[in-house]
Amino acid sequence: MIQIEKVKDYSALSKKAAMFIAAEIVQKKLPVLGLATGSTPIGTYKVLRELYQEGRLDFSSVRSVNLDEYRGLSPEDSHSYRYFMNEELFNHVNIKISNTHVPDGTLKEAKEACESYEELIQSLGGIHLQILGLGHDGHIGFNEPSNHFPAKTHCVKLTEETINANQRFFAKKEDVPTEAYTMGIGTIMHAEKILLLVSGKDKASILQKVLEGPVTPDVPASILQFHPNVILIADEEALSLCKTV
């Protein structure tokens, strides 16, 4: 079931999402957050930083696991998702870096990288709240359109559409990694709660398919219709084509 929270714009989305995450941190003794990268959660992380700086939020008990990482990039690479998380959140709050986890993009053995990350998530007791963005082709994490829903953390070849979308973060297209390690759909679906953040008119068409279309691996995020506790926070532009809102 997907609960829809409609907001006016990206700023309102960021504030609402941050307050939802903050509530989870306050209510859980040892919260495990599944975190996302990309442009959509940047505003949310900014609000979370501000809450910490104002003395209203304590990250000392938080453990985190990130959805994905480019294969072949080191944590020090400015394009890596570990670097992104450090810059956007971790370096600015009192979270223990040893409690933050991102797939290891430097591991050359895909099987080792994926199995060790899956084991890590299980050792933490699973994910309490998973934050997700939505790709233009319906991907969540780096789970691209496919003929099946991948169950566990795996290595994926990125589609041309995703590579093109991520090109804006690199000097040229040839620099964009073509593979990534990502949590599987099954791993994501095992989270207690899921927070899906969607903003902008360019996401309206795919969001309509996620909410109103059939559940199909052609639109990976459509599987969220089957999760018992999904909160969608989306702005007016993103929801502009949805008939049920």
Side-chain angles (χ1 to χ4, degrees), residues 19-207:
M19 296 311 294
F20 193 93
I21 296 165
E24 189 75 12
I25 292 172
V26 170
Q27 291 166 14
K28 291 280 186 185
K29 187 177 180 182
L30 291 171
V32 180
L33 302 180
L35 300 179
T37 53
S39 54
T40 304
I42 288 175
T44 300
Y45 295 148
K46 180 175 183 289
V47 178
L48 288 173
R49 296 197 309 264
E50 290 168 351
L51 290 173
Y52 167 74
Q53 289 155 5
E54 292 164 4
R56 298 166 61 192
L57 195 56
D58 177 17
F59 286 82
S60 61
S61 65
V62 173
R63 284 90 47 82
S64 73
V65 286
N66 259 75
L67 274 168
D68 42 32
E69 178 61 283
Y70 287 120
R71 188 181 188 189
L73 295 193
S74 71
E76 296 76 30
D77 191 306
S78 62
H79 298 107
S80 75
Y81 287 160
R82 160 58 77 178
Y83 189 95
F84 174 99
M85 290 307 308
N86 289 345
E87 290 294 303
E88 296 296 334
L89 184 63
F90 299 155
N91 289 346
H92 308 281
V93 299
N94 66 330
I95 196 169
K96 297 173 185 170
I97 291 297
S98 60
N99 285 341
T100 67
H101 308 283
V102 180
D104 188 347
T106 66
L107 289 177
K108 293 181 180 176
E109 275 294 326
K111 189 169 184 286
E112 177 193 356
C114 297
E115 287 181 357
S116 63
Y117 202 64
E118 198 69 31
E119 288 166 7
L120 167 72
I121 294 168
Q122 298 310 312
S123 74
L124 295 173
I127 298 165
H128 295 130
L129 175 64
Q130 177 64 60
I131 294 101
L132 296 175
L134 178 66
H136 288 96
D137 58 2
H139 71 249
I140 46 177
F142 271 131
N143 294 286
E144 302 280 14
S146 173
N147 59 3
H148 69 292
F149 291 110
K152 296 184 177 182
T153 302
H154 60 287
C155 182
V156 63
K157 290 190 183 300
L158 304 181
T159 65
E160 193 71 13
E161 184 171 2
T162 297
I163 291 170
N164 289 336
N166 291 343
Q167 184 182 340
R168 68 188 187 277
F169 301 116
F170 293 80
K172 54 185 185 297
K173 184 176 177 179
E174 292 72 27
D175 295 338
V176 184
T178 58
E179 293 183 317
Y181 295 128
T182 184
M183 285 186 201
I185 295 290
T187 312
I188 293 168
M189 290 291 283
H190 274 100
E192 282 184 17
K193 300 176 192 171
I194 292 175
L195 187 62
L196 177 63
L197 309 178
V198 188
S199 174
K201 204 165 194 64
D202 59 319
K203 298 287 180 73
S205 176
I206 191 63
L207 183 57

Side-chain angles (χ1 to χ4, degrees), residues 222-235:
S222 64
I223 192 72
L224 298 176
Q225 294 180 34
F226 288 158
H227 193 282
N229 197 349
V230 178
I231 299 93
L232 164 66
I233 304 178
D235 60 23

